[in-house]
Amino acid sequence: MERSEAWALLTKYNRDHFHLQHALTVEAVMRYFADTLGYADEADFWANVGLLHDLDFEQYPQEHCVKCQQLMREDGVDERTIRAAASHGYGICVDIKPEHEMEKVLFAADELTGLIWAAALMRPSKSVQDMELKSLKKKFKDKKFAAGCSREVITRGAEQLGWELDTLLTRTLEAMRASEAQINARVAELGE
């Protein structure tokens, strides 16, 4: 699947600026992880799964990770992409367990990217560039901050990967630093 096809499918079911920004963020983070974890030859696949992972959430939140499978099949998306995208809802809304390292990264990083962006917006710079792990950990421990970002899911994601929580936090923060300019440029193209 070409990125343009994935984007067309995403925007067929998503219009909200927040959802599109989240999709662009997870896309960039997944590409970063593919490149740094030894899957550079699959970086486009990882990125497309990140882009499409919440395909159904805006219009079908009660059927999240279930409806997306139907929508993707109707659009002719390959089963590998469908399975990978749906697996991030494991134990929450589907029984598709993340097995491939890419699926585990998606499960772990999805919620965390939201927490990191929320923390960045609280900073004077409004950026992740000057965010330190210590600051992120403080926000992570504050259950009232970005309460919609499940700390349990993030912690389970780190465990599935066999990583310490600090490792997941650090690597995801690095991924967002590395891709922040690209994400911001693509978000700016969306307008308000």
Side-chain angles (χ1 to χ4, degrees), residues 21-179:
Q21 178 177 348
H22 176 66
L24 291 167
T25 301
V26 177
E27 173 194 26
V29 167
M30 292 300 290
R31 179 175 298 282
Y32 175 90
F33 275 115
D35 289 339
T36 60
L37 294 175
Y39 298 93
D41 59 329
E42 292 193 341
D44 290 341
F45 171 67
W46 284 46
N48 281 339
V49 170
L51 192 62
L52 293 173
H53 80 285
D54 278 346
L55 178 68
D56 59 4
F57 192 77
E58 186 173 318
Q59 291 187 22
Y60 307 98
Q62 301 306 316
E63 299 174 74
H64 184 43
C65 295
V66 175
K67 186 70 171 180
C68 74
Q69 296 174 63
Q70 175 192 339
L71 298 175
M72 287 189 208
R73 282 188 186 103
E74 289 172 359
D75 207 72
V77 176
D78 65 282
E79 288 298 319
R80 185 173 175 227
T81 300
I82 294 169
R83 185 206 189 294
S87 73
H88 86 280
Y90 177 65
I92 305 161
C93 49
V94 293
D95 292 329
I96 302 170
K97 184 176 182 178
E99 293 174 0
H100 186 280
E101 190 169 18
M102 182 272 300
E103 295 170 347
K104 294 175 183 179
V105 168
L106 177 63
F107 184 92
D110 175 34
E111 293 282 316
L112 183 52
T113 61
L115 180 72
I116 292 172
W117 271 139
L121 291 175
M122 301 301 293
R123 304 180 68 73
S125 66
K126 307 280 191 234
S127 171
V128 296
Q129 298 303 320
D130 59 351
M131 186 182 299
E132 296 177 3
L133 177 61
K134 180 180 172 185
S135 174
L136 178 57
K137 286 175 68 173
K138 185 175 179 182
K139 295 294 187 191
F140 182 87
K141 290 176 184 175
D142 180 358
K143 304 292 191 244
K144 292 179 184 174
F145 177 78
C149 297
S150 172
R151 275 63 168 179
E152 179 190 342
V153 168
I154 295 167
T155 302
R156 277 195 299 147
E159 291 168 359
Q160 286 180 30
L161 283 162
W163 297 354
E164 295 294 325
L165 181 60
D166 279 9
T167 301
L168 175 62
L169 297 176
T170 299
R171 286 181 169 180
T172 306
L173 185 56
E174 288 169 356
M176 290 181 68
R177 278 190 196 123
S179 55

